[in-house]
Amino acid sequence: MNAKIDVLNWKILKLLQENARESFANIGRKVGLTPPAVAERVKKMEDIGVITGYKAVVSHSHTGYQLKAIITLRAFMGKLRPFLEIVNTYEEVVNCYRITGNENIIMLVVLKDQFHLEKFIDKLIQYGETRTHIILSDVVSNAPIRKREA
């Protein structure tokens, strides 16, 4: 759905993307609305699917995962469907996308160490050819969705 979002809703979205725990009162002060008016706008954006959820951003390194990596998978013939059915059970996978190009899948994974990475790749290679890219640092992470200029 391509919802029309007015200027005030974009301001509210910007603030919520910066801090989803911001109170409606604080948002209202910043955008010039009452807290109930902010709540109504947020509820409407949730109802039409503009806002799809709220979550905490958790540090992988502070939770015991020393490696973060991007792994692509080029599935063997007949192995894509079985992989798609099992991938959500892998605790290492933070995000997984089906993509175009030579590879079928791209995943963001977190791992304890290089030994964990090796074991994880061993699980994946039954489904296809993998390519691993260790992430050294985040350059852009969780950037806000901004109003597209016409």
Side-chain angles (χ1 to χ4, degrees):
M1 171 182 258
N2 190 2
K4 185 147 175 68
I5 304 169
D6 68 16
V7 172
L8 281 174
N9 281 357
W10 274 112
K11 289 179 181 179
I12 292 168
L13 286 172
K14 178 182 180 298
L15 294 167
L16 286 174
Q17 288 180 92
E18 290 170 1
N19 179 6
R21 297 184 71 190
E22 186 79 74
S23 73
F24 291 155
N26 284 341
I27 292 172
R29 277 191 285 283
K30 292 174 183 177
V31 301
L33 293 173
T34 65
V38 172
E40 182 180 331
R41 284 173 171 266
V42 169
K43 175 76 171 106
K44 283 181 182 175
M45 287 189 285
E46 291 169 347
D47 289 347
I48 64 172
V50 171
I51 297 174
T52 59
Y54 304 88
K55 60 182 77 176
V57 179
V58 177
S59 166
H60 72 282
S61 61
H62 286 87
T63 53
Y65 295 99
Q66 298 308 309
L67 291 179
K68 189 160 59 167
I70 300 289
I71 299 178
T72 60
L73 176 77
R74 182 177 182 186
F76 297 140
M77 186 69 74
K79 292 292 188 172
L80 181 58
R81 183 71 42 215
F83 175 80
L84 293 173
E85 291 170 1
I86 192 102
V87 67
N88 64 335
T89 67
Y90 295 149
E91 68 180 34
E92 297 88 352
V93 177
V94 176
N95 290 309
C96 180
Y97 305 97
R98 192 167 174 185
I99 60 171
T100 61
N102 285 333
E103 289 91 5
N104 308 95
I105 298 293
I106 188 165
M107 295 172 278
L108 173 65
V109 300
V110 291
L111 306 135
K112 295 173 190 148
D113 52 32
Q114 72 270 20
F115 304 109
H116 187 185
L117 172 61
E118 183 178 22
K119 287 179 185 173
F120 184 63
I121 290 171
D122 288 346
K123 284 197 286 190
L124 294 177
I125 59 175
Q126 67 181 305
Y127 297 102
E129 180 183 320
T130 64
R131 187 173 296 173
T132 302
H133 308 272
I134 302 294
I135 296 173
L136 300 176
S137 63
D138 292 347
V139 178
V140 175
S141 183
N142 299 309
I145 303 296
R146 296 178 183 94
K147 181 179 181 183
R148 183 175 56 92
E149 299 303 323

